[in-house]
Amino acid sequence: MKGMFDTLIKAFRLPELRKKILYTFLILGVYMIGGLVPVPGIDREAFTVLVRNWGQIGSMMDIISGGGLYAATIFAMGITPYINSSIIIQLLTVVIPALENLSKEGESGRKKMAKITRYTAIGLAFLQASLFTYSTRTAMIATSVKPLLAALIVVSFTAGTCFVVWLGERINEKGIGNGVSLIIFAGIVTRLPSMAQSVYYKSLAVGEKVPGAMVWGILIGILVAIAIIAVSIAIIVFVVFVQNAERRIPVQYSKKTVGRKLYGGQSSYIPLKVNQSGVMPVIFSMSILSLPSMIVTLFFQNSQNVVVNWFRNFNSSPWYYISYFFLIIIFTFFYSLIQFNPIEISQSIQKNGGFIPGIRPGKPTTDFILKTSNRLNWADALFLTLVCLVPTLVSLLTGLDNVWFVGTSVLILTGVANDLATQIESQLVTRNYRGFLD
């Protein structure tokens, strides 16, 4: 913690970094202010009641949007359509050769991919806004021109998401850190006080159910709250430890004679992070598992069909948690498959005259790196299931709201904080080198 504060103090002493940090805070401030602007034509209380029926997916979207969903603001959908768009484009890059070639074209290809992702996000935002408006149509203010009012609501939701994406891109260009990640970070941080307050009062309610004197009930409730805080701190420490952990594969480079000089011969390593996939497998799994209940809520709300009732109660059944466990494992390996390429790493080592001690160059090196990566994927998958399922089960057993999101929020918060600290430190090193050369 002390090292992080020292890094921030050093960053503020440099004019360039101070300007970037202050600009980032300014953009996040604009995002917070924009999250207070209500969407016209919606009865907020009725809208909130309807959205709460969506279950965990609605709660997750509300927390990520900084409370904008339940408050029916123009930022109600937050950055979710852009995240979904990024996921879809990443998946399509694996199957569509044109997109794969585009992603390998350097800076120009990266800009084209960003544009494709942006336009896809706008389309998804419009589709999601239309579904929101249709599913909450009873919360619209009574008027004789409902089609026009519905169109206004859809445009407001879509425009809000587009503006949030634009704010994220401004952070990427002129600020510091990843804009989209920081916006999600800000949305979760702003919800932490209300989440803590909700957990505290729910803990007191648990204590009041204990037979005996009221004082003992309140004391037990306070002890429950303290236990939850202690477990949360333990989860934070555990998550930070695993996210910073890495498996270092040693690489030895052979010596080369160029002219009269001798180059190479040094030892290095390939760092493979244990938590390579971050929080993406969790988001994938939650989105897929919440889809059936959301479809039932949107289109079959009054149906009493057996299949519809089964999907309606799916989120509270044991099958949900079993599916959650296996989907996290599957998506951890899948995300590693599309992000990690052992063949390229092996070829890069060989081109630079390097080798892994005890492993022959070529296919054996590729197989060794792939085998090591798969072992780390198992550790990563078990880590994600442990962090996400334990708070979920605690929430289920105690009846405490929002405890289920502790694991996911901690993963997001610590991941973004680590990434931001790394970027600040790298820019500090760059500035120090420039000062030395000058």
Side-chain angles (χ1 to χ4, degrees):
M1 186 68 71
K2 182 181 177 182
M4 186 170 63
F5 281 115
D6 290 341
T7 302
L8 286 174
I9 292 171
K10 291 178 182 178
F12 265 96
R13 288 174 180 171
L14 294 173
E16 293 181 19
L17 274 179
R18 182 170 62 245
K19 184 178 179 181
K20 287 186 175 183
I21 293 173
L22 292 176
Y23 182 82
T24 302
F25 278 120
L26 174 65
I27 294 297
L28 292 177
V30 172
Y31 170 69
M32 295 301 166
I33 295 172
L36 301 175
V37 180
V39 171
I42 290 182
D43 183 344
R44 177 180 170 180
E45 294 183 0
F47 182 84
T48 304
V49 171
L50 291 171
V51 173
R52 285 185 186 277
N53 293 330
W54 294 355
Q56 284 191 5
I57 188 65
S59 300
M60 183 182 72
M61 291 176 63
D62 178 66
I63 293 171
I64 290 178
S65 64
L69 180 59
Y70 286 171
T73 67
I74 58 172
F75 291 167
M77 297 192 303
I79 205 77
T80 306
Y82 185 81
I83 296 173
N84 295 334
S85 173
S86 301
I87 294 170
I88 291 171
I89 297 301
Q90 284 182 5
L91 296 178
L92 291 179
T93 302
V94 182
V95 247
I96 301 178
L99 289 177
E100 185 179 1
N101 295 332
L102 196 62
S103 64
K104 297 178 181 179
E105 290 182 3
E107 184 65 20
S108 62
R110 187 188 66 80
K111 289 182 178 179
K112 291 178 182 177
M113 291 291 290
K115 186 180 290 187
I116 294 172
T117 304
R118 193 182 306 122
Y119 287 142
T120 306
I122 294 173
L124 289 177
F126 180 80
L127 177 62
Q128 188 172 327
S130 301
L131 290 175
F132 273 22
T133 306
Y134 175 78
S135 60
T136 59
R137 57 192 180 279
T138 56
M140 289 170 44
I141 296 174
T143 176
S144 58
V145 284
K146 277 203 171 183
L148 291 178
L149 186 59
L152 175 62
I153 295 172
V154 170
V155 170
S156 299
F157 280 140
T158 306
T161 294
C162 294
F163 187 68
V164 172
V165 172
W166 182 83
L167 290 177
E169 291 178 347
R170 297 290 72 73
I171 293 177
N172 292 338
E173 290 181 8
K174 299 182 180 180
I176 189 166
N178 183 283
V180 172
S181 299
L182 284 174
I183 285 174
I184 297 174
F185 181 92
I188 294 175
V189 167
T190 55
R191 292 286 292 158
L192 287 180
S194 61
M195 290 171 63
Q197 185 181 24
S198 173
V199 169
Y200 174 72
Y201 285 121
K202 285 284 184 177
S203 301
L204 291 181
V206 171
E208 290 174 358
K209 295 179 182 178
V210 177
M214 183 180 296
V215 177
W216 283 106
I218 294 175
L219 180 61
I220 292 174
I222 294 174
L223 290 176
V224 170
I226 293 173
I228 291 173
I229 292 172
V231 171
S232 300
I233 293 173
I235 289 176
I236 291 172
V237 173
F238 176 61
V239 168
V240 171
F241 174 77
V242 175
Q243 285 187 335
N244 291 328
E246 60 185 23
R247 165 73 161 88
R248 296 181 176 181
I249 300 177
V251 178
Q252 181 70 37
Y253 290 93
S254 57
K255 295 181 180 180
K256 291 182 180 180
T257 303
V258 180
R260 295 183 178 181
K261 293 185 178 181
L262 192 66
Y263 295 93
Q266 77 273 18
S267 298
S268 184
Y269 61 86
I270 303 171
L272 298 181
K273 294 184 72 65
V274 175
N275 183 223
Q276 297 181 50
S277 57
V279 74
M280 297 310 296
V282 178
I283 295 176
F284 286 177
S285 303
M286 289 185 68
S287 300
I288 288 179
L289 290 176
S290 300
L291 189 61
S293 60
M294 179 172 281
I295 292 174
V296 168
T297 304
L298 292 177
F299 303 106
F300 304 99
Q301 192 169 5
N302 298 321
S303 175
Q304 296 300 321
N305 185 278
V306 176
V307 177
V308 171
N309 285 332
W310 190 86
F311 279 112
R312 183 180 287 124
N313 301 320
F314 177 69
N315 286 2
S316 58
S317 68
W319 291 108
Y320 174 85
Y321 301 101
I322 296 172
S323 304
Y324 196 15
F325 176 82
F326 284 108
L327 279 177
I328 288 178
I329 295 176
I330 292 171
F331 280 121
T332 299
F333 279 88
F334 179 76
Y335 197 77
S336 175
L337 180 66
I338 65 176
Q339 292 290 322
F340 183 76
N341 192 336
I343 298 177
E344 289 184 0
I345 296 175
S346 175
Q347 291 175 348
S348 176
I349 294 173
Q350 193 170 2
K351 285 179 182 178
N352 290 286
F355 63 93
I356 298 174
I359 308 296
R360 296 178 60 185
K363 190 175 184 302
T365 299
T366 302
D367 293 339
F368 176 79
I369 296 173
L370 180 61
K371 185 178 180 181
T372 305
S373 175
N374 286 336
R375 288 177 176 174
L376 292 178
N377 286 337
W378 278 111
D380 186 17
L382 293 176
F383 158 71
L384 291 175
T385 53
L386 182 65
V387 171
C388 295
L389 280 179
V390 168
T392 303
L393 293 175
V394 169
S395 177
L396 180 67
L397 295 174
T398 61
L400 299 174
D401 295 335
N402 294 329
V403 176
W404 63 270
F405 197 69
V406 169
T408 309
S409 61
V410 167
L411 285 171
I412 295 173
L413 294 178
T414 54
V416 174
N418 277 336
D419 181 60
L420 184 61
T422 302
Q423 288 198 32
I424 292 176
E425 288 176 356
S426 64
Q427 295 207 25
L428 281 173
V429 171
T430 304
R431 298 303 185 283
N432 290 335
Y433 274 124
R434 286 181 181 176
F436 175 76
L437 293 173
D438 292 340

